[in-house]
Amino acid sequence: MSSVNNTKTALVTGANKGIGFAIAQGLGALGFTVAVGARDDARREEAVERLRAAGTDAFGVALDVTSDASVAAAAVSIEKEAGRLDVLVNNAGISGQFADGAQDPTTLDLDVLRTVLETNVLGVVRVTNVMLPLLSRAASPRIVNMSSTMGSLTLQTGPVMAAYAPSKSMLNSVTAQYARRFADTNIIVNLACPGYVATDFTGFAGDRTAEQGAAIALRLATLPDDGPRGGFFDDNGVVAW
């Protein structure tokens, strides 16, 4: 157990593909043991195998961020495997259906809104709070929540998506509250915007690679103890709220 305790462990949710996988890969390259959180068993194990083949110490964690039982079981699994958690990257997120006016504010499908909020906001709160006891065992715990400039009330980038964009605005606000709560602790929490990344999330229409999108998350996950708290960042620096 002593060798495990000398290695930092990171949990990345939604890590089986896209930006999440790139974040897991990047943390592995930095020497972290990576817990690959994902719902789909086959895709999760495939991601773990790919990471291990590249030299990363990785293990899979069955994790559905919308399920209390799943998140609780994931915490037990991580505790058994690693004993603590040094980094939590809340990457899992969904865009929600948007065909037929489902995310037009004038015809907003409330079921779509509820579904998006359940994953993108409540899921982050659920995972964060359950993992806090494990994070509290680390010397310099870091939490990175993956957001988007679409959630910026100042910038208002991207298409009109009245479920997805507000979910990121709320995530930004919730993260700010966590930062205030953790102000006098060693837990540093921030928001990262990966930019417009070419993954299946965007229909591979983005102009950035998953590795480029992961870079800001890696930077925030490895901040020094005097690093910024409660901020919203992309590769260019601070993002306007």
Side-chain angles (χ1 to χ4, degrees):
M1 195 66 183
S2 60
S3 62
V4 174
N5 284 337
N6 289 330
T7 302
K8 289 186 176 183
T9 300
L11 168 63
V12 183
T13 68
N16 60 295
K17 60 182 179 177
I19 297 171
F21 182 82
I23 293 170
Q25 201 167 35
L27 288 169
L30 292 172
F32 283 82
T33 293
V34 181
V36 177
R39 292 179 300 176
D40 186 284
D41 293 341
R43 289 180 178 177
R44 181 177 65 250
E45 291 313 308
E46 180 185 356
V48 169
E49 290 176 7
R50 288 174 60 196
L51 289 167
R52 288 175 176 170
T56 292
D57 182 14
F59 63 96
V61 178
L63 181 57
D64 177 353
V65 303
T66 68
S67 164
D68 291 346
S70 177
V71 174
V76 171
S77 176
I78 293 168
E79 182 171 25
K80 288 180 179 178
E81 186 74 27
R84 72 163 191 267
L85 197 57
D86 297 87
V87 168
L88 168 61
V89 181
N90 285 304
N91 168 75
I94 60 173
S95 61
Q97 298 178 12
F98 49 84
D100 301 321
Q103 292 203 41
D104 182 319
T106 65
T107 54
L108 180 61
D109 186 324
L110 295 184
D111 287 335
V112 170
L113 177 59
R114 291 187 188 97
T115 299
V116 171
L117 291 175
E118 182 64 51
T119 294
N120 294 3
V121 182
L122 277 63
V124 171
V125 173
R126 181 178 290 111
V127 172
T128 299
N129 289 354
V130 171
M131 298 300 165
L132 278 176
L134 292 175
L135 286 161
S136 68
R137 298 176 188 174
S140 301
R142 303 289 180 260
I143 300 173
V144 182
N145 293 337
M146 300 303 290
S147 188
S148 168
T149 53
M150 288 182 66
S152 166
L153 299 179
T154 300
L155 301 178
Q156 298 186 33
T157 63
V160 173
M161 293 181 69
Y164 177 76
S167 79
K168 293 302 184 180
S169 300
M170 187 172 181
L171 175 62
N172 292 355
S173 183
V174 168
T175 302
Q177 295 303 307
Y178 274 113
R180 292 179 64 193
R181 175 64 177 80
F182 296 148
D184 298 322
T185 76
N186 61 347
I187 300 175
I188 295 181
V189 57
N190 286 290
L191 293 146
C193 173
Y196 192 35
V197 176
T199 65
D200 59 355
F201 191 90
T202 62
F204 296 95
D207 55 7
R208 291 164 58 81
T209 66
E211 290 72 23
Q212 288 173 321
I216 184 60
L218 297 176
R219 191 183 314 166
L220 295 174
T222 55
L223 284 173
D225 291 339
D226 61 351
R229 294 169 174 259
F232 187 11
F233 303 94
D234 64 12
D235 286 347
N236 295 317
V238 176
V239 178
W241 297 109

